[in-house]
Amino acid sequence: MSIDRRSLLTAGAALTLLPAAAKGKPQPLVVNTPMAAPRWALLQRQLLAANAAACEAFFAKYVGPGDALQVFERWGANDGPDDAAEATNDWVTLHALGASDRLLTLAQRFWEGHIRQYTAAKTVEVPIARQGMYYREFPVQMDWQHNSEGLTSFNVMGLSAPRDARLIERTRRFADFYTGRDRSVANYDAKARVIRSVLNGSKGPMLRQATPLDWTGDPFDTRPFHMEHGEQNYAQTLAHYDEYGDVVGDNPLNLQATTLGLNAYALGAGERFRGWALDYLDAWMERARANGDIVPSRVGLDGKVGKEWWKGVYGWGFSPKVPQTGVRENRNRVPRSITAFYNGLLLTGDREYIHLWRRQSARINAAAKRVDGAMSAPSMYGADGWYGWKPGPYRSSGFEIWYATQDPADLAAAGDNPWVAFLHGRNTGYAEKALAADLARVAERVAKREADRTTRMERLADWTIDINPASATALIQTMTGGMHIARPSWSPTSPPQGGVPLHCRLRYFDAERRRAGVPDDVAALVHALGDRSTEVTLVNTGRVARTVVVQGGSYAEHRIDAVTVDGVARDVGGRDFTVRLEPGCGARMTLAMTRYANRPMLAFPWDR
């Protein structure tokens, strides 16, 4: 096969073309300009390896016979099955970035083991879990702050294993607990377009006043354990949930269930999953518009928003008393549901799902007033109006709004973020600093594991979360231009929320090994993000040529229109393109992109 000489570059340039592998397939780019390995590239490779080694040692210590987590099993929102499921958070994501295959294997083994473990674990006093805390491999009945946290690993497994038949079947089954298709579970009312309770799951919704016991779990002696919320005894743990009874009706946290619909659709399970997710999301869009562009926190079983729209567990007016101090604490979790509205953006490309949140922030800021001499915005709403005043403008969800819109007008609300400063040409050393910080975090977690002398009967399920060494934030930011929402303090304006899909500008695949992630020796740095452009450097730090597929977005949702290297542009017009990196070579590329142009899919590029 002859090469079109008109498309060849001059000798020594960074980019050439190889013959197409097959008729109709685009020719891969060849990067053959030498590039000394940048420090950030070496740090990325070091961090991928350090994560894998540390996670393997973590697994050896805390995962035992039957791949069960070695903890005291309990039911409850404080330290229940969802916390156990979080023990291997970010392991799959690290694999999808390019870490060892062993990480994916261990994460999958643990997922199976914890399902068996909590299917067998039973309560004595809590009625719903007396036959098992899991039923049909899913929590029997819990709220979606905790359900979604427990699905943090599960919801990204499709990044690395989109052809896994068991994953596809489970995702369909879990989604159908909420679509209304599974008639043995009455969580969803399709006519009213509501999930019928804050507490729901594989055994359906709770349609009565919840008790502290329902939330807390069976009585136990707290003395051997670290209590995350600072309770000194079981009575205080129970009292933590004294005001958590108002659960009947819908709550915006339930929208996290649409991630199951998104993933079922992206895994190829059918259009109906997309249709359900959008129908449910659109119902909430309509309710918010009718409520003056404020997402309500309680919706009746009839699908209507009443005058007390601010009520409900985790709602705008939810400020329960802390039993240890007697002081009320504001626990409005409505802002966390913006991550579910991202599902609508992925499924349609319609920015209106995010613009709603911009208008909500404007409404809240319009209520600002001076408090103790400082202009302050509210964060809560109750019978007497706005409260929960904090100095400065209301910026919750500001980062997520800016990331989706890429509108300069939204940038201020994103907060003083060092990564954003880097993307805008400031804070030039950020990549190295962030990667080094995550390497230090891995080492700190390794030291915590090595110093841990607890036994299984001295650990609650949340004990291992802060020992899990997996550190993916810097890799997600620098390699993919993505957000890592699950990690606490990832953004100064955003609370952490588990179970969120990976939202990123670019993903990579090893074309030779046919797996997710960059090939061995390869590193990538996203330098800049724009609404219609991305700048990235790819480099091969090794002595063997590597072939990498570059994809637009986590779900191939972004179209890559063209790629430019050294002033030479090449049309792409698709979800991905392929690059061959010669040994010790690299190039900085500018990608012209149309974001959210494609329907989401998780199939690998060669399987599409």
Side-chain angles (χ1 to χ4, degrees), residues 185 244 264 276 348 461 564 591:
V185 184
Y244 279 62
W276 167 75
T348 67
T564 299
L591 311 184

Side-chain angles (χ1 to χ4, degrees), residues 77-78 146 211-212 215-216 229 237-245 314:
N78 272 18
H146 295 94
T211 68
W215 286 93
T216 306
H229 297 288
T237 304
L238 205 63
H240 180 93
Y241 293 100
D242 276 348
E243 300 176 57
Y244 279 62
Y314 294 133

Side-chain angles (χ1 to χ4, degrees), residues 377-392:
S379 59
M380 307 290 293
Y381 192 95
D384 297 324
W386 292 108
Y387 70 101
W389 303 93
K390 297 180 180 180

Side-chain angles (χ1 to χ4, degrees), residues 160-390:
S160 287
R163 299 180 67 182
D164 184 335
R166 184 159 46 184
L167 173 66
I168 296 169
E169 190 279 327
R170 276 186 181 138
T171 306
R172 289 173 58 112
R173 175 165 23 104
F174 294 173
D176 276 336
F177 291 155
Y178 295 94
T179 64
R181 176 65 68 96
D182 186 337
R183 300 197 176 181
S184 69
V185 184
N187 286 315
Y188 190 65
D189 182 331
K191 184 177 180 180
R193 299 156 83 192
V194 295
I195 291 176
R196 302 167 67 211
S197 176
V198 173
L199 294 176
N200 55 73
S202 57
K203 288 197 171 182
M206 178 175 286
L207 298 177
R208 60 168 173 80
Q209 188 87 352
T211 68
L213 179 68
D214 294 320
W215 286 93
T216 306
D218 288 353
F220 71 113
D221 183 356
T222 64
R223 287 175 296 179
F225 304 106
H226 166 73
M227 303 299 291
E228 185 67 26
H229 297 288
E231 300 93 337
Q232 297 173 356
N233 50 54
Y234 177 75
Q236 287 185 352
T237 304
L238 205 63
H240 180 93
Y241 293 100
D242 276 348
E243 300 176 57
Y244 279 62
D246 185 10
V247 299
V248 178
D250 210 349
N251 178 290
L253 287 177
N254 285 336
L255 284 161
Q256 302 295 346
T258 60
T259 301
L260 295 170
L262 164 68
N263 280 342
Y265 174 75
L267 287 166
E271 177 70 24
R272 68 180 180 86
F273 292 100
R274 177 178 182 270
W276 167 75
L278 291 176
D279 188 53
Y280 184 41
L281 281 162
D282 288 348
W284 276 92
M285 293 284 288
E286 294 163 14
R287 291 163 189 152
R289 291 190 193 104
N291 197 46
D293 286 330
I294 301 291
V295 176
S297 54
R298 186 170 70 173
V299 174
L301 290 175
D302 59 1
K304 296 180 180 179
V305 179
K307 292 182 179 180
E308 296 180 323
W309 56 268
W310 41 269
K311 282 194 170 184
V313 172
Y314 294 133
W316 287 101
F318 191 60
S319 301
K321 188 177 292 185
V322 178
Q324 301 95 294
T325 65
V327 176
R328 293 198 172 274
E329 181 179 87
N330 296 335
R331 295 181 192 155
N332 174 15
R333 301 291 187 258
V334 175
R336 296 189 180 197
S337 61
I338 189 175
T339 57
F341 285 76
Y342 257 83
N343 293 340
L345 175 61
L346 278 169
L347 288 164
T348 67
D350 188 350
R351 306 311 201 268
E352 178 61 16
Y353 288 100
I354 305 301
H355 291 164
L356 167 66
W357 288 79
R358 178 199 283 164
R359 295 194 298 273
Q360 176 174 275
S361 293
R363 278 289 313 278
I364 295 170
N365 279 317
K369 66 179 185 180
R370 289 200 173 274
V371 177
D372 296 329
M375 283 301 295
S376 301
S379 59
M380 307 290 293
Y381 192 95
D384 297 324
W386 292 108
Y387 70 101
W389 303 93
K390 297 180 180 180

